[in-house]
Amino acid sequence: PAVDVARNLERWVKCVVMRTYAHSTLLEFAEAAPRLHVVNALSDTEHPCQALADLQTVKEVWGEWAGRTITFIGDGNNVATSLAQGAVMLGTSFHIASPAGYELPSNVVEQAMQVARHGAEIRLFRDPIEAVKGSDAVYTDVWTSMGQEAEAAERKRAFDGYQVTAHMMRHARQGAAFMHCLPAHRNEEVATDVFESPASVVFDQAENRLHSQKALLLTLMANRASGA
Ligand code: NVA
């Protein structure tokens, strides 16, 4: 069982970076091995390491977080959840446009709003064009996440109309960044010309996974050294 793996690893290493499906596996792991730092490298419900890199990237582009808006187009699952949580903590508002049945969960919205700062808000939309209006960045993710492959055809139908296109980008603020956590499916959730446009910061996001995750490990280890 996962708890035995955790108790083994706790004897050998200081930190585990774990990519899993069920979020509960991470929680069980952390509970079974309290001396071990457990970093979520992606679960079915959250992707906080991606959000760290994304928020570093927008700071590089905008020079600030407060008062800005990121609009997410698509599935309100792991990537959207962590980005919503992180963005509002820094004062960046979060819009999301999703088809029926794929919205950001209401408990995520409620919890995120409890830690929102500088007047940041979360707004849920059905219409992607309405959602991107006034946005400083437009973000999307795959329509079928890992582990959902059996739902691919159904999801393709559900997300019809949610592709990020050049037409959609024109409704955002001038110069708005295009963002994606990668890997991307060109001409599915994003049109190739948007993905390849000068507004696209997807490879800056990818690079910042390295820097932000190094910073995360350093922070965790530093806290350990100081006995915190
Ligand atoms: N939502 C995607 C993110 C991949 C980085 C997935 O879970 O597969």
Side-chain angles (χ1 to χ4, degrees):
V3 290
D4 288 355
V5 178
R7 288 184 289 181
N8 269 269
L9 289 173
E10 190 181 32
R11 303 296 180 104
W12 300 336
V13 298
K14 292 184 164 40
C15 182
V16 171
V17 179
M18 204 170 154
R19 179 167 276 204
T20 180
Y21 287 110
H23 193 78
S24 56
T25 307
L26 280 161
L27 301 180
E28 284 164 19
F29 222 82
E31 201 180 339
R35 292 200 306 275
L36 197 62
H37 289 296
V38 179
V39 175
N40 179 0
L42 184 134
S43 72
D44 280 344
T45 53
E46 292 181 16
H47 198 3
C49 287
Q50 181 68 47
L52 285 179
D54 297 340
L55 292 164
Q56 180 185 354
T57 305
V58 291
K59 178 81 186 293
E60 288 171 348
V61 176
W62 303 332
E64 65 198 358
W65 286 299
R68 300 287 188 150
T69 300
I70 299 176
T71 294
F72 189 99
I73 306 294
D75 198 2
N77 80 340
N78 47 14
V79 172
T81 291
S82 292
L83 188 60
Q85 291 166 337
V88 297
M89 285 172 79
L90 296 168
T92 299
S93 287
F94 186 83
H95 292 181
I96 179 165
S98 316
Y102 298 93
E103 297 93 347
L104 197 62
S106 55
N107 66 316
V108 169
V109 177
E110 280 156 28
Q111 283 171 357
M113 287 317 296
Q114 283 166 17
V115 290
R117 296 178 61 215
H118 307 298
E121 48 179 28
I122 297 181
R123 293 181 62 194
L124 276 59
F125 294 81
R126 194 69 75 211
D127 179 355
I129 299 288
E130 282 305 310
V132 299
K133 284 181 182 164
S135 293
D136 302 283
V138 178
Y139 199 123
T140 192
D141 182 12
V142 293
W143 292 342
T144 300
S145 285
M146 289 179 270
Q148 300 171 335
E149 289 76 10
E151 301 169 22
E154 185 190 329
R155 285 173 164 270
K156 236 178 183 163
R157 279 193 298 277
F159 286 96
D160 186 28
Y162 285 82
Q163 182 185 92
V164 177
T165 60
H167 169 75
M168 199 184 285
M169 292 298 291
R170 278 195 288 278
H171 286 82
R173 286 220 175 114
Q174 200 173 359
F178 169 72
M179 305 180 74
H180 196 303
C181 52
L182 301 181
H185 297 150
R186 288 171 171 75
N187 292 329
E188 202 167 291
E189 73 273 7
V190 56
T192 296
D193 59 343
V194 173
F195 186 89
E196 298 292 351
S197 72
S200 175
V201 296
V202 298
F203 294 106
D204 296 318
Q205 293 173 258
E207 178 183 333
N208 285 335
R209 292 295 301 276
L210 175 67
H211 307 308
S212 59
Q213 264 81 110
K214 279 161 71 179
L216 173 62
L217 292 176
L218 192 61
T219 304
L220 292 173
M221 298 306 164
N223 284 346
R224 173 176 290 273
S226 69

